[in-house]
Each structure stands twice: as structure tokens, then as C-alpha cells.
Amino acid sequence: MYRHFVKRLLDVVLSLAALTVLAVPMMIFALMIKREDRGPAFFRQKRVGKGKRHFSMYKFRSMKMSTPHDVPTHLLTNPEQYLLKCGKWMRRYSVDELPQIINILKGDMSIVGPRPALWNQYDLIAERDKYGANDIRPGLTGWAQINGRDELEIPEKARFDGEYMQRESFMFDAMCIFRTVFSAARHEGVVEGGTGELARKH
């Protein structure tokens, strides 16, 4: 009941409310990007959605136009060289993710769920298959996001995604959202140019 009806209803209501409240700030962020680096303020990436169907995910552009396309940040050589000045704090506080509210409204994504993999992140997609985590809508935030984000190794990230699928409920989603707000404020788990940093720290 919750997964198939209530959650989708909440996604629509909350994404509409968020777009109404954030419309002006998002316009300001877009102007900041365009002022620093010529090109579009938004960009689309091919991502993997529910049932492994591809969709176009929207983000604020936090990197220069010269950045290689469809390459995960952790695979770039010295990713710092590609970051815009405004892009650094946008990524630090997850502001670059705000346009995904449109994806939530469209039904490509949910507020909470596994973060959508790039179409060519075959290792992550395969790991999620082991837990059935590719069978639900990806999310703006998720259980893996608040348990390490970029610092997690791919098998560990997929395990958290599978655990989320088993525990999915209104209360669990509310807890994920609440913890996401605090994690974003403290910019926890954001590691430019690296995945699996948590393991390397130990």
C-alpha cells in the first residue's frame, strides 16, 4: 500500500511544494553558474531507473563544460580541476541535486530510494541486482547516502540499498529525510574524486 500508492502521492505533493518554495533560489543558482562558465546551467545524465529503465536525470551543472561527459566523478583524474567555484559549495551542500525535484514530479524518481546509477556503472547495477534494489524507484536521497555516500565501496553501497528495500516504510523514509538534512548541512560523505574512502581511512 505505502510503496505503490501513498509514497507516490507524497512524492507529488512534496515535490510540487518544494518547486514552489525553491523556484526563485533555483533561478539565482542558475544565473551564478552561467555567469561563471558559459553554457547551460542545467544538464541531463542518462541514469538507471526502476526496472533498470533509463531516464534523463536533471542536475545543476557544477563542473566546467570541458569535463568528460558520463564519467563518474571518482573516475576523473584530479576532479578538482573541473569544478566551478560555485560548484564546489553546491556539491558540498547537495544544492546541485535540487533539479531532481522535477524527476520526482515526473515519476522517474522518489524522494527516498537508492541513488540512480549512471547507465555505465555496470558494477553497481549488478550488485544491486543481488538485492532486488533495481526494482524500486531511485531516490533523491537514500539509506546508503546517509551511511557514507561517496565514501562507501560499491558492494557496501548496494547492500545498504538492499536493506532500504526491505525496510521501506513511511517512518523509515521520514527518518532518512530527517538525517539527510543534517548530513547535507555538515556536508558529510562528499569525497571529490573518490569512492570507497571510508574503507581506505581504516
Side-chain angles (χ1 to χ4, degrees):
M1 178 70 172
Y2 174 72
R3 178 182 294 176
H4 300 293
F5 177 71
V6 177
K7 184 169 183 173
R8 179 61 191 146
L9 179 62
L10 287 173
D11 283 340
V12 171
V13 172
L14 293 177
S15 58
L16 279 172
L19 281 175
T20 301
V21 172
L22 296 172
V24 173
M26 287 175 69
M27 288 178 60
I28 294 172
F29 297 147
L31 289 172
M32 289 172 63
I33 294 166
K34 292 183 71 67
R35 182 178 179 182
E36 184 175 344
D37 191 58
R38 297 182 66 179
F42 301 90
F43 77 100
R44 298 184 298 175
Q45 279 186 328
K46 186 163 71 171
R47 297 277 181 145
V48 179
K50 182 180 178 181
K52 294 192 282 190
R53 291 188 295 270
H54 293 164
F55 71 97
S56 293
M57 189 184 80
Y58 307 115
K59 296 185 78 171
F60 277 124
R61 183 169 60 88
S62 59
M63 292 186 152
K64 299 172 183 176
M65 291 296 293
S66 57
T67 307
H69 192 60
D70 276 343
V71 178
T73 304
H74 69 273
L75 294 181
L76 291 172
T77 301
N78 186 20
E80 289 282 346
Q81 67 179 311
Y82 298 110
L83 275 173
L84 299 174
K85 291 178 181 177
C86 63
K88 289 183 179 180
W89 66 262
M90 283 186 176
R91 290 169 73 95
R92 177 175 296 178
Y93 295 103
S94 299
V95 171
D96 60 316
E97 312 285 0
L98 288 180
Q100 287 157 50
I101 297 170
I102 299 169
N103 289 115
I104 296 171
L105 187 60
K106 289 174 60 182
D108 300 323
M109 295 173 59
S110 185
I111 294 174
V112 184
R115 283 295 295 161
L118 279 165
W119 65 274
N120 56 359
Q121 284 183 293
Y122 305 115
D123 49 355
L124 177 57
I125 297 166
E127 284 293 324
R128 284 176 171 171
D129 268 337
K130 297 177 182 179
Y131 302 97
N134 289 313
D135 297 330
I136 58 176
R137 281 193 182 94
L140 179 64
T141 187
W143 188 227
Q145 296 303 103
I146 57 179
N147 280 285
R149 194 172 173 173
D150 298 335
E151 297 184 335
L152 294 174
E153 295 280 3
I154 283 173
E156 187 74 357
K157 185 179 294 186
R159 186 184 66 78
F160 275 118
D161 291 334
E163 185 179 338
Y164 169 76
M165 186 176 178
Q166 297 300 317
R167 299 177 64 182
E168 186 180 19
S169 67
F170 174 77
M171 291 303 296
F172 193 63
D173 280 359
M175 184 270 288
C176 287
I177 293 170
F178 181 77
R179 286 185 57 180
T180 295
V181 172
F182 283 91
S183 293
R186 294 186 300 230
H187 50 88
E188 294 176 345
V190 181
V191 181
E192 298 300 345
T195 188
E197 286 295 317
L198 198 60
R200 284 189 281 275
K201 287 176 183 175
H202 296 87

